[in-house]
Amino acid sequence: MSHQRKCRLCGADLEHVFVDLGMSPLCESYVPAEKADAMEPFYPLCVYVCGECLLVQLPPHVSGEHIFSEYAYFSSYSDSWLEHARRYCEAMTERFGIDKSKHVVEVASNDGYLLRNFVAAGVPCTGIEPATNVAQAAIEKGVPTINRFFGEETARDLKAQGLQADLLAANNVLAHVPDLHDFVGGLGILLAPGGVFTGEIPHVLRLIEQNQFDTIYQEHYSYLSVAVLERLFGQHGMELFDVEELPTHGGSIRVYAQATGGPQERSPRLDAVLEAERRAGLHSIEGYLGFDAKAQECRYGLIEFLIEARRAGKKVAGYGAPGKGNTLLNYCSIRADLLPYTVDRNPYKQGKLLPGSRIPIKEPEEIFRDRPDYVLILPWNLKDEIAKQLEEIKSWDGQFVTPIPSVAVF
């Protein structure tokens, strides 16, 4: 990929650095143990904010095809995320009258974690998932899935086959798209007349407020505000009509869109979130500057904590092997001397090494065998779920640690 310094939304030159996290490997490129001595590529994690349209973005150093053709993230390994998906399906069914006469399509449908709820209800549905291994997992669960990248070409092909979406979902995918115009243009093509699009997206407002720099990695090309989304969708014949603020992934938004002039009325919630962004200063370039210093301060705090624990003879283990954890560990230059291992419920990751840091990934039972003094929760957005799973560590006075927005022990 060319190292573009042009805004992917408006084409302006990118001149303002939002945060520079140094060099890092692909956050989901887990290293097989037999390749522990092999080289791996590192790429710049320098994020810019466009001075014209205010889109926060990472230049596309790696293509989506390279990253997502095979992927290590399976949604079904998070119990709280499965429950979140179930509640979404219930809410959409009630609000928009989704029944057996409708067709539900999810773009980036992963392992069928969401659509399986519609399958169980007898609602026709289709998943579109680019990662071959993940798409196969969905098919094995009985979720009809097309293994293909999504954009205008895919949307036209499906429409030509008679498939259009009455409810079109895309959760945590828009940030992963290098060509925003091709993707959103495809959404407009695939949406049936009177249909509704919903998309869940990490909110750049929460990223800034809560110092969530670890959610930045090569797989996330864009960091989005509602104001930017309004502009993007408007350029493709669609309009936002509602937005919900969600606690998922440390603070997300669920945006609702339809064809411009569609039947859904504009919700006051949309204007309320736009006003919150304005109050936070996100309507001007000044609201985005200074974030780099906040990330550095968090980095120093985590390194100091781990060094002090090491010198005090305390044992520290990690929990989880999420993409955000790999950004964090590589930015902080943390290796196995400070964090000897981490554990993860996903068998696909167990036995491998974290990219960059080369920290071993073990099965969760290792926590109970090793009895560490501290468990560093890398997927900090799931800390309550994880603390409940590991409540037995209280029997040996173990404590949990979260790194974001700053180090906290509980």
Side-chain angles (χ1 to χ4, degrees):
M1 299 289 288
S2 62
H3 290 226
Q4 301 173 28
R5 293 289 177 84
K6 296 285 187 181
C7 176
R8 64 172 49 91
L9 177 56
C10 72
D13 291 334
L14 296 176
E15 300 174 347
H16 304 281
V17 173
F18 175 66
V19 65
D20 188 349
L21 301 178
M23 302 288 289
S24 191
L26 298 180
C27 74
E28 296 284 347
S29 58
Y30 299 90
V31 180
E34 64 271 18
K35 294 185 178 180
D37 295 332
M39 294 175 60
E40 60 182 315
F42 279 58
Y43 305 92
L45 269 184
C46 186
V47 180
Y48 297 84
V49 56
C50 177
E52 297 296 325
C53 71
L54 303 178
L55 172 63
V56 178
Q57 57 199 284
L58 182 68
H61 302 295
V62 190
S63 71
E65 287 78 7
H66 181 79
I67 295 172
F68 298 114
S69 293
E70 181 172 359
Y71 206 46
Y73 179 75
F74 290 74
S75 296
S76 291
Y77 286 108
S78 169
D79 295 335
S80 61
W81 189 245
L82 290 176
E83 176 60 18
H84 173 75
R86 187 192 65 77
R87 291 196 304 267
Y88 165 86
C89 295
E90 285 187 353
M92 296 306 104
T93 296
E94 181 178 351
R95 181 172 180 180
F96 300 114
I98 303 300
D99 57 25
K100 296 179 181 180
S101 68
K102 308 292 186 181
H103 200 114
V104 178
V105 176
E106 184 183 14
V107 179
S109 51
N110 202 261
D111 60 4
Y113 74 101
L114 184 147
L115 290 179
R116 69 181 193 174
N117 295 284
F118 288 114
V119 169
V123 175
C125 60
T126 303
I128 304 172
E129 169 56 47
T132 302
N133 60 320
V134 182
Q136 185 58 40
I139 292 168
E140 290 171 0
K141 294 175 183 175
V143 178
T145 303
I146 297 169
N147 181 205
R148 186 170 176 180
F149 281 86
F150 182 78
E152 292 184 354
E153 181 180 357
T154 297
R156 289 193 193 97
D157 288 348
L158 295 177
K159 185 177 181 179
Q161 297 169 24
L163 191 157
Q164 282 192 285
D166 299 289
L167 174 63
L168 179 56
N171 291 340
N172 298 295
V173 59
L174 198 56
H176 295 257
V177 176
D179 190 339
L180 291 173
H181 291 293
D182 180 58
F183 188 87
V184 176
L187 297 177
I189 292 168
L190 195 59
L191 201 59
V196 169
F197 165 79
T198 72
E200 294 184 18
I201 303 151
H203 196 184
V204 73
L205 174 61
R206 302 299 171 218
L207 185 154
I208 294 170
E209 287 181 341
Q210 299 174 24
N211 201 22
Q212 298 170 358
F213 65 87
D214 60 336
T215 61
I216 293 169
Y217 30 84
Q218 297 295 337
E219 289 86 341
H220 279 179
Y221 297 103
S222 303
Y223 305 85
L224 296 152
S225 67
V226 175
V228 166
L229 288 167
E230 271 213 312
R231 174 173 179 161
L232 171 62
F233 277 77
Q235 292 180 7
H236 295 278
M238 299 176 72
E239 62 182 6
L240 303 188
F241 66 84
D242 196 4
V243 62
E244 291 181 73
E245 295 182 274
L246 306 171
T248 53
H249 296 286
S252 299
I253 46 176
R254 178 185 292 150
V255 295
Y256 295 75
Q258 62 183 347
T260 301
Q264 304 293 335
E265 294 185 2
R266 186 180 179 94
S267 168
R269 296 191 297 191
L270 180 56
D271 293 312
V273 174
L274 287 168
E275 175 59 20
E277 292 180 352
R278 190 198 66 77
R279 290 197 307 269
L282 301 192
H283 64 300
S284 67
I285 192 68
E286 288 74 21
Y288 298 86
L289 305 181
F291 185 73
D292 194 73
K294 292 173 62 177
Q296 289 179 17
E297 190 60 34
C298 181
R299 176 190 188 189
Y300 303 148
L302 180 58
I303 294 171
E304 288 169 357
F305 170 82
L306 291 173
I307 290 175
E308 289 172 5
R310 172 85 174 180
R311 286 177 171 162
K314 302 292 187 180
K315 291 194 292 186
V316 184
Y319 188 98
K324 60 167 59 74
N326 293 322
T327 290
L328 177 78
L329 297 174
N330 283 295
Y331 175 57
C332 297
S333 300
I334 293 169
R335 302 293 183 262
D337 59 327
L338 294 178
L339 189 68
Y341 67 91
T342 189
V343 303
D344 198 276
R345 294 176 69 188
N346 186 348
Y348 185 88
K349 299 179 182 179
Q350 293 168 10
K352 294 185 171 69
L353 307 171
L354 295 181
S357 67
R358 301 298 175 95
I359 292 170
I361 308 168
K362 302 185 179 185
E363 60 182 8
E365 290 73 21
E366 183 67 20
I367 295 285
F368 305 107
R369 291 190 289 264
D370 187 46
R371 297 165 67 92
D373 300 286
Y374 299 106
V375 175
L376 176 63
I377 299 177
L378 296 173
W380 45 260
N381 53 301
L382 301 175
K383 66 176 184 178
D384 293 336
E385 175 184 339
I386 292 166
K388 185 175 180 180
Q389 291 173 5
L390 299 183
E391 61 182 351
E392 186 182 329
I393 76 167
K394 291 186 291 187
S395 67
W396 64 82
D397 297 324
Q399 293 180 288
F400 296 105
V401 183
T402 49
I404 300 294
S406 59
V407 174
V409 179
F410 68 99

